[in-house]
């Protein structure tokens, strides 16, 4: 079995100088010429060749692209032409409906959520393709912001440093499991991995924030239904709290010292004390943007009392067979490598869990650990277990890596590539994390900020350095500091700009996103959603359901461009994994003229309204469910 | 060829610092020193006002 798992991201972007509605609305009306991209470095490592690459397009293999790419392909003028063409395509997309909630021709969704422009990628089948569509999302949001007006800036981060966080969620399709398996297999298997994967997925942050001690904020949420707020956690507060903890531990240490029966506890306390005394450098830089905002281990909520493992389970597919793992504990990544490794390792860990061979670690307090790992200035990242032993985040990750190696090494190129990079990354983290500058975000950012601080003879908490920390996440490729580094060859690339540009207007070809994306080209379609759409042909409305995410592919349906709506409907009729039904008479015309004004299936208001994990929200609708055959599962690489 | 080993001894690979590649052809991570030559350009892009201090967002999911 090759690594082939439906995955995607949904990113809430920070925004300044305008509002999210104007940006999302500008997408449909985008008529302005958009700024060119500066020439970008294309130092793609050959090891990524043939890893994934199901996005499609007429680019051939990566090696062919690079061989064919003459030096001037990356020239300034060439990019003006290329991006100008993309911008014109963008303005011709012609979304006439769906003011702030669009389904895009690339199969993605672009909408407003909680005051943020949010982009949900189309489904991809592998982590490299996910990098491509994630980066395409950055450019789409940036282009929309440029169309919306001058001065609007878009930031791909997760924390404003003043108490608010907004997410970059990941979604992975899994085999349906019952509540017992969810607790015994999924939660046990995932928790140690999620607590520790920030070692390579964290985007880095100066300072800390913590939930307010006031009862009407923080852990309890507030009474107006708004998200809980988190207050900036200053160095002064940190040091005061740390001293309190150390004083308490020293008292406990003295108490235990005279009681031989408690030797194990005394040893544990001394270990903690040793670590505490090593922490607290004057300038505080932590691994994760999100770590400060997790307050519980498991839960359904996403805006307050955030859980490390989120139980929202809306597969948007055949819920009798599939469940969706909705991951909210990750950071938004700028580095392509970080996104790739984050998604790739998570997919492998899900394989381990589904196969019942994931490592077991009973972390004493996962919520404390996700914070303490992020905040550990010693970069030793100790983790305390329930059995009284101490391990480290790296050792936990190594256990997952070794289990995955033992089970899946040699399975396919994608798996081997992830295993190789996972191992190399852990090795670098264990020896000298700064070697990973250009690959993972927290290291790249710290490298940059430390050098800027040194150059300007200021500390990390200086206003200018905090500005630079924010500007690292600016998605404007002419102004953002991450892209300034990338342009100058300091960032490792694993995908090409040509692939990203193609993915702005074209869907992946080996998932149902292909059919969804192509459906947007027809005026007769409406209500386009993750799991299907309506189409009106010859005066009759038909509902199309896409309950099998690996169906509706280009390999299955062929080229859908240029077909009339009648031909389009005929082509997708009687295909595996695609079910059609005519709407009842009272529904006739319901969707007319409302193309892309889809119902909002992921409500942001009250997560408690979502069904518990064992409910099957769409199974009662009587969809036809068909399994893809082996050929379908081979993907649709051209 | 320099032998590099993690603390746990679980990962080994031969790494040649002169070529920045290991025995499998894996290119080593970029060196910090690579950034020195580009700090002038980066510094010019950094906002000198109160950008970060005034950066305030609504809470999201």
């Amino acid at each position: 079995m090759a690594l082939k798992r439906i995955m995607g991201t949904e990113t809430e972007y920070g925004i300044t100088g305008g509002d999210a509605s104007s940006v999302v609305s500008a997408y449909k009306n985008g008529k302005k010429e958009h700024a060119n991209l500066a020439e970008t470095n294309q130092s793609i490592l050959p090891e990524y060749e043939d890893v994934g690459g199901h996005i499609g397009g007429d680019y051939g293999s990566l090696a062919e692209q690079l061989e064919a790419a003459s030096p001037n392909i990356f020239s300034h003028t060439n990019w003006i032409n290329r991006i100008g063409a993309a911008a014109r395509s963008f303005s011709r997309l012609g979304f006439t409906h769906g003011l702030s909630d669009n389904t895009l021709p690339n199969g993605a969704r672009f909408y407003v959520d909680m005051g943020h422009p949010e982009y949900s990628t189309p489904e991809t089948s592998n982590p490299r393709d996910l990098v491509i569509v994630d980066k395409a999302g950055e450019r789409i949001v940036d282009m929309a912001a440029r169309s919306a007006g001058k001065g609007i800036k878009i930031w791909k981060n997760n924390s404003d440093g003043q108490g608010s966080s907004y997410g970059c969620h990941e979604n992975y399709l899994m085999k349906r499991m019952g509540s017992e398996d969810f607790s015994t297999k999924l939660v046990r298997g995932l928790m140690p991995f999620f607590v520790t994967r920030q070692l390579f997925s964290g985007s880095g942050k100066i300072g800390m924030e913590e939930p307010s001690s006031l009862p009407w904020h923080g852990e309890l949420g507030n009474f107006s239904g708004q998200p809980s707020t988190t207050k900036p956690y200053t160095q002064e507060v940190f040091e005061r709290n740390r001293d309190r903890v150390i004083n308490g531990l020293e008292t406990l240490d003295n108490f235990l010292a005279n009681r031989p029966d408690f030797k194990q506890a005394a040893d544990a306390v001394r270990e903690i004390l040793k670590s505490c005394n090593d922490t607290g450098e004057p300038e505080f830089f932590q691994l994760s943007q999100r770590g400060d905002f997790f307050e519980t281990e498991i839960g359904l909520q996403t805006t307050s009392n955030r859980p490390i493992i989120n139980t929202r389970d809306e597969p948007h597919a055949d819920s009798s067979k599939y469940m969706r793992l909705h991951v909210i504990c990750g950071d938004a990544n700028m580095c392509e490598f970080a996104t790739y490794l984050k998604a790739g390792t998570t997919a492998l860990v899900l394989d381990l869990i589904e196969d019942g061979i994931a490592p077991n670690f009973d972390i004493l307090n996962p919520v404390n650990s996700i914070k303490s790992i992020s905040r550990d200035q010693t970069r030793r990242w100790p983790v305390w277990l329930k059995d009284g032993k101490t391990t480290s985040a790296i050792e936990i990750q190594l256990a997952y890596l070794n289990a995955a190696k033992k089970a899946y090494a040699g399975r396919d190129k994608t798996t081997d590539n992830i295993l190789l990079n996972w191992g190399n990354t852990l090795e670098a983290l264990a020896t000298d994390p700064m070697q990973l500058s250009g690959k993972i975000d927290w290291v790249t950012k710290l490298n940059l900020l430390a050098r800027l601080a040194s150059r300007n003879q200021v500390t990390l908490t200086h206003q200018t350095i905090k500005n630079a920390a924010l500007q690292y996440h600016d998605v404007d490729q002419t102004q953002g500091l991450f892209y300034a580094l990338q342009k100058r060859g300091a960032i490792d690339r694993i995908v090409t700009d040509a692939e990203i540009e193609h993915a702005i207007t074209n869907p992946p070809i080996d998932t149902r996103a292909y059919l969804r994306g192509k459906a947007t080209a027809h005026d007769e379609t409406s209500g386009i959603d993750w799991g299907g759409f309506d189409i009106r042909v010859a005066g009759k409305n038909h509902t199309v359901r896409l309950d099998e995410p690996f169906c509706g592919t280009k390999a299955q349906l062929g080229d859908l461009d240029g077909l009339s709506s009648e031909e389009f409907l005929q082509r997708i009729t009687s295909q595996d994994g695609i079910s059609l039904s005519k709407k009842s008479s009272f529904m006739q015309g319901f969707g007319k003229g409302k193309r892309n004004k889809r119902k909002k299936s992921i409500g942001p208001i009250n997560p408690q309204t979502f069904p518990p994990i064992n409910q099957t929200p769409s199974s009662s609708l009587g969809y036809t469910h068909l399994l893809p055959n082996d050929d379908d599962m081979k993907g649709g690489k051209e | 060829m320099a032998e590099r080993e993690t603390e746990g001894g679980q990962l080994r690979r031969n790494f040649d610092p002169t070529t920045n590649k290991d025995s499998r052809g894996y290119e080593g991570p970029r060196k910090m020193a690579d950034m020195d030559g580009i700090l002038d350009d980066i510094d010019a892009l950094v906002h000198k006002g109160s950008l970060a201090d005034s950066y305030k967002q609504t809470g999201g999911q």
Side-chain angles (χ1 to χ4, degrees), chain A residues 35-113:
Chain A
N36 62 290
L37 295 179
E39 59 265 44
T40 51
N41 181 274
Q42 294 279 320
S43 59
I44 299 158
L45 302 178
E47 68 191 68
Y48 295 98
E49 195 174 341
D50 297 331
V51 174
H54 301 126
I55 293 295
D58 299 318
Y59 296 103
S61 72
L62 185 56
E64 288 167 346
Q65 290 174 46
L66 294 174
E67 187 178 342
S70 60
N72 68 356
I73 194 173
F74 305 120
S75 72
H76 193 68
T77 306
N78 192 290
W79 272 112
I80 289 175
N81 293 337
R82 292 165 74 85
I83 298 303
R88 286 188 290 278
S89 299
F90 175 68
S91 66
R92 283 199 303 267
L93 295 177
F95 288 102
T96 55
H97 302 282
L99 183 63
S100 56
D101 194 347
N102 293 320
T103 299
L104 278 53
N106 68 358
R109 188 180 155 214
F110 184 33
Y111 50 103
V112 176
D113 197 359

Side-chain angles (χ1 to χ4, degrees), chain A residues 563-582:
Chain A
L563 299 180
S564 68
S565 292
E566 289 80 3
E567 292 168 334
F568 180 80
L569 183 62
Q570 190 176 18
R571 182 73 66 85
I572 65 177
T573 300
S574 302
Q575 294 280 356
D576 284 353
I578 303 170
S579 61
L580 274 77
S581 61
K582 289 180 183 175

Side-chain angles (χ1 to χ4, degrees), chain A residues 9 84 181 288 319 378 629:
Chain A
T9 59
D181 277 350
S288 170
S319 55
T378 70
N629 58 36

Side-chain angles (χ1 to χ4, degrees), chain A residues 12 15 45 113-114 116 160 162 165-166 302 306 402 427 435 447 451 455 463 467 471 488-489 492, chain B residues 4 10-11 13 27 29-30 32 36 40-41 43 45 47 49 52-53 55-58 60-61:
Chain A
E12 291 177 304
I15 179 171
L45 302 178
D113 197 359
M114 315 246 355
H116 298 268
D160 68 357
Q162 302 194 52
S165 182
Y166 33 98
T302 57
R306 292 184 181 92
N402 289 334
E427 181 183 9
Q435 296 173 86
N447 187 8
R451 285 168 181 277
R455 175 190 174 91
Q463 180 173 264
N467 290 345
Q471 289 178 270
R488 291 158 180 82
D492 286 355
Chain B
R4 300 206 309 178
Q10 298 186 55
L11 290 171
R13 64 188 173 102
E27 188 179 357
R30 197 166 302 279
M32 284 183 73
D36 285 341
D40 283 345
D41 295 345
D43 213 358
L45 289 170
H47 199 281
D53 287 339
Y55 182 73
K56 178 67 181 167
Q57 299 290 305
T58 59
Q61 294 212 57

Side-chain angles (χ1 to χ4, degrees), chain A residues 198-509:
Chain A
Q198 60 181 302
L199 293 183
F200 49 81
S201 66
S203 286
K205 182 166 83 171
I206 295 173
M208 290 188 292
E209 294 155 277
E210 69 167 9
S212 165
S213 58
L214 299 174
W216 49 88
H217 289 297
E219 293 184 3
L220 298 177
N222 62 28
F223 299 130
S224 63
Q226 297 300 309
S228 67
T229 58
T230 304
K231 284 193 167 182
Y233 195 55
T234 63
Q235 185 69 28
E236 188 181 344
V237 174
F238 165 68
E239 288 175 359
R240 187 173 65 233
N241 287 354
R242 182 198 60 191
D243 290 345
R244 283 178 184 163
V245 170
I246 289 175
N247 289 339
L249 286 169
E250 285 174 345
T251 304
L252 186 59
D253 185 38
N254 290 333
F255 174 78
L256 294 172
N258 300 320
R259 288 163 177 78
D261 292 347
F262 293 94
K263 182 178 182 306
Q264 193 178 19
D267 289 345
V269 168
R270 287 197 192 98
E271 186 69 25
I272 297 170
L273 263 173
K274 186 180 171 188
S275 174
C276 285
N277 286 324
D278 286 342
T279 61
E281 291 177 0
E283 298 166 12
F284 197 90
F285 186 89
Q286 60 172 314
L287 307 189
S288 170
Q289 294 246 317
R290 285 282 268 185
D292 289 341
F293 298 91
F294 290 94
E295 299 170 55
T296 189
E297 294 179 24
I298 306 165
L300 193 57
Q301 63 279 11
T302 57
T303 58
S304 63
N305 199 26
R306 292 184 181 92
I308 296 170
I309 294 180
N310 184 256
T311 56
R312 180 186 294 177
D313 171 22
E314 299 169 293
H316 300 299
D318 182 347
S319 55
S320 67
K321 292 181 356 195
Y322 304 118
M323 57 182 278
R324 173 171 64 130
L325 179 67
H326 184 231
V327 181
I328 70 167
C329 63
D331 284 8
N333 292 114
M334 300 299 292
C335 287
E336 294 172 357
F337 181 86
T339 300
Y340 174 78
L341 196 59
K342 175 176 70 177
T345 55
T346 303
L348 287 180
V349 169
L350 295 181
D351 285 347
L352 291 172
I353 290 169
E354 288 180 336
D355 292 342
I357 50 176
N360 281 328
F361 290 93
D362 283 327
I363 295 177
L364 181 62
N365 189 326
V367 173
N368 283 355
S369 290
I370 203 169
K371 292 177 166 64
S372 66
I373 291 168
S374 180
R375 296 169 177 175
D376 181 12
Q377 303 300 290
T378 70
R379 314 293 183 224
R380 291 207 305 247
W381 306 300
V383 178
W384 292 276
L385 304 177
K386 284 181 180 172
D387 63 7
K389 294 178 181 173
T390 306
T391 184
S392 74
I394 288 182
E395 292 297 326
I396 289 174
Q397 283 289 319
L398 278 171
Y400 279 98
L401 169 65
N402 289 334
K405 270 185 173 176
K406 186 176 177 183
Y408 309 126
R411 183 174 69 172
D412 58 85
K413 286 183 178 178
T414 301
T415 296
D416 285 348
N417 187 274
I418 295 165
L419 292 172
L420 174 69
N421 282 299
W422 195 358
N424 288 336
T425 300
L426 295 180
E427 181 183 9
L429 287 165
T431 52
D432 177 11
M434 298 316 286
Q435 296 173 86
L436 294 166
S437 185
K439 286 179 175 287
I440 65 178
D441 283 298
W442 74 264
V443 175
T444 310
K445 193 168 163 182
L446 179 57
N447 187 8
L448 173 66
L449 300 181
R451 285 168 181 277
L452 285 173
S454 173
R455 175 190 174 91
N456 291 288
Q457 297 186 313
V458 296
T459 67
L460 283 184
T461 54
H462 187 270
Q463 180 173 264
T464 304
I465 306 304
K466 287 195 290 184
N467 290 345
L470 174 60
Q471 289 178 270
Y472 178 86
H473 300 275
D474 185 348
V475 300
D476 181 340
Q477 298 193 51
T478 64
Q479 296 295 314
L481 299 193
F482 170 82
Y483 283 107
L485 292 173
Q486 180 170 292
K487 179 182 175 184
R488 291 158 180 82
I491 302 295
D492 286 355
R493 302 294 307 272
I494 66 169
V495 301
T496 67
D497 283 315
E499 289 174 303
I500 297 169
E501 189 183 337
H502 181 80
I504 290 174
T505 49
N506 294 280
I509 62 174

